[in-house]
Amino acid sequence: SYSEKSGGKDHSETNNQVEGVGESDTVLTDGYYIYTVSGDTIYIIDAETLQISDSYTKENVYFSGIYLYEGLLIAVGSESYEPEVKEDDTETSSSSEDYPIYYYPGYYYYYYYNYGVTVKIFDIADKTNMELKRELFFDKADLTDTRMIGPMVYLVMNDYSLSNRPEGEEILPRYKDSAEGEGYRRLSAKSVFYMPSDLWQCSYLLLASIDVESEDDLDLKAYVGNTYQIYMSANNLYAVVHRYWYEDSTSWYLSRTYVLRFAIEEDKLVYKATAVVDGSPLDQFSMDEHEGYFRIATTGTEYITSTKDDIVTVRWNTFNQIACFDATATGKIEPVSILTGLGKPKESIYAVRFTGDIAYVVTFVRTDPLYKIDLSDPLNPVILGELYEEGVSDYLHPINEELLLGIGRQAEINEYGNTVFTGVKVSLYDTKGDEPVNLDTYLVEGEYSYTPVLYDHKAFVSYRPQNQEYIYVAIPITEYEDNWTKYLQSIYVFKVTFNGELDYLTKLTHASEPESGYFYYVDTVDRAILIENMIYTVSESQIRMYDMEKSFSEIASVALNQE
């Protein structure tokens, strides 16, 4: 969505997939201050002067993202700690010793690493004095993803330590919450549930619901299994699980995707249903909920066995499909429809974007078919049209109902018949009709050049100035030189007009030429934010400010985390 707030300063916002469902980011702004994380440090920076107003540092912590809400800053990350003598738990006591180095005779040593997921909630009403209000820590947990709706933060975590805990060690997950007092609390066994997963996956999926405005106890549940990917709407959280099995007839392993639906009831996540679909989704944009239906695009492998003269031959092919499910049904549910026939032989899905009744799907192996699909009738989805062109779009971003932007890679076939990528492409499409039309494409040439937008949609930044019929788009792009030993990552800035024009404006970087080495790595430009007529480029080690109305001239800079 594009910021058009009344009052205050107009500014860009995090590129969230679903309106009203926040996703954490490494840099945020309210128009007056910039809030960013760099390793173990959180910064509050005056956007007008680029002076640091305050900062918070915690050793052995890596902050992966932050949220802002009504004078609060919520930071999420991972934290490690030294081996310790464990105290008795508040709810369930257990014997405890220092975590030692374990030895398996004849095999190997390993160190029992101590780590977990940390959440820190700050009062930032005074921008010069961050006040830590509440801390939470989930021991032995790995963060999969987070979302925020209103004052509620939802954490999705995996605890893999269940399969390698020392003999005699308590197997129930434990956590700390400063709102509940000091020390660890052990999750009750009544809050642990079973869900579909491979039998050898001895782990927990942890779901936490936290009200950041109150001191109420968090809601925490554990499910035997894990997830690697989620999608969240305003009504439900969907967690993706894989199950594999061996097919004797083909001597191949096949897989299905299990999607578990957790409804939001009284701000808590409550299990409701499991959907099963062949293949697997590419990313969170492969999933969507609209008017009571859940849609998911998947790619899978199918095997065809034939026998001739007692010789068995197995041929394989990929398939791409969209399955629709009733998002209000409970229990184990079946699809109400499955749309097949997407892509040519051996093609896989590279990008998906759902926009209400319409879906756009890109499949690729040599050329890029961009499909436009009508999902207005979930029982009878229809392919409206398709566009074939060189290269592939890895991320699709709707500008409005008539324009679509694609970020991806240009490709060609080399002398050996293989597909090779030759640079980054930014393409603007007219989607008014059934057949998408390419209006313009901007190429950043260079073999192996890429953009983080390919795998991180929050690196894509868009901003619409008030009352204007255009938006600014800023994305980081990496270019290589000298046989890929030197590289340069810059912010490319574009202007996209609502009448269908794509204009390159400038390239902003923190280095004058391609470099190599660690010190350049920490100064790689990863993000941009825009406030009115100013654009800011952000790396691990500095922020720079440029005036867009004065030919993008540099105004100021500030150093971060120079150690």
Side-chain angles (χ1 to χ4, degrees), residues 160-177:
Y160 297 106
S161 66
L162 185 60
S163 60
N164 62 5
R165 290 176 185 257
E167 185 176 353
E169 174 71 12
E170 174 63 62
I171 65 170
L172 293 172
R174 67 174 189 168
Y175 67 96
K176 289 180 180 180
D177 183 356

Side-chain angles (χ1 to χ4, degrees), residues 35-96:
Y35 310 86
T36 188
V37 294
S38 178
D40 61 359
T41 304
I42 304 168
Y43 293 95
I44 299 180
I45 299 167
D46 188 303
E48 186 173 345
T49 64
L50 283 193
Q51 297 298 307
I52 297 175
S53 296
D54 197 13
S55 64
Y56 172 88
T57 301
K58 181 66 180 294
E59 292 185 358
N60 301 319
V61 172
Y62 177 81
F63 291 110
S64 57
I66 54 177
Y67 291 101
L68 295 176
Y69 182 79
E70 301 293 336
L72 299 174
L73 184 149
I74 303 95
V76 182
S78 59
E79 182 172 358
S80 60
Y81 58 91
E82 293 297 323
E84 61 180 10
V85 176
K86 299 173 292 175
E87 301 175 358
D88 287 346
D89 297 311
T90 304
E91 291 185 341
T92 305
S93 63
S94 63
S95 60
S96 58

Side-chain angles (χ1 to χ4, degrees), residues 453-467:
V453 175
L454 305 184
Y455 53 84
D456 180 5
H457 63 279
K458 282 173 278 191
F460 179 98
V461 177
S462 60
Y463 165 68
R464 178 183 179 182
Q466 281 194 358
N467 304 318

Side-chain angles (χ1 to χ4, degrees), residues 219-381:
D219 180 73
L220 179 65
K221 296 183 179 71
Y223 299 83
V224 179
N226 58 49
T227 186
Y228 74 98
Q229 196 173 88
I230 69 165
Y231 164 79
M232 193 169 191
S233 69
N235 307 304
N236 298 286
L237 182 143
Y238 298 86
V240 171
V241 182
H242 270 324
R243 291 189 73 175
Y244 295 87
W245 73 95
Y246 185 74
E247 185 68 41
D248 290 328
S249 62
T250 61
S251 300
W252 289 95
Y253 280 94
L254 301 179
S255 70
R256 285 196 180 103
T257 293
Y258 284 67
V259 183
L260 287 86
R261 179 173 74 89
F262 299 89
I264 304 173
E265 295 183 352
E266 297 181 349
D267 295 329
K268 299 178 176 61
L269 297 172
V270 180
Y271 171 79
K272 292 294 182 181
T274 298
V276 184
V277 61
D278 289 332
S280 60
L282 174 67
D283 54 28
Q284 68 184 63
F285 288 94
S286 298
M287 297 176 278
D288 179 77
E289 182 187 305
H290 179 64
E291 295 185 348
Y293 286 91
F294 172 73
R295 297 90 65 92
I296 180 170
T298 61
T299 294
T301 304
E302 56 187 357
Y303 299 92
I304 303 172
T305 303
S306 60
T307 303
K308 184 177 181 180
D309 298 330
D310 296 329
I311 298 176
V312 178
T313 302
V314 178
R315 295 182 293 108
W316 68 273
N317 190 25
T318 57
F319 64 86
N320 306 293
Q321 62 183 28
I322 295 179
C324 297
F325 295 85
D326 184 345
T328 64
T330 58
K332 186 176 180 180
I333 58 176
E334 299 295 332
V336 298
S337 67
I338 298 178
L339 175 68
T340 59
L342 297 172
K344 300 190 294 293
K346 302 296 190 296
E347 287 188 341
S348 300
I349 290 175
Y350 271 64
V352 182
R353 194 63 186 245
F354 293 93
T355 60
D357 290 334
I358 299 296
Y360 299 96
V361 177
V362 172
T363 61
F364 179 77
V365 68
R366 292 178 183 271
T367 57
D368 170 2
L370 169 61
Y371 292 93
K372 182 177 181 180
I373 301 165
D374 184 358
L375 297 173
S376 58
D377 181 1
L379 304 182
N380 185 35

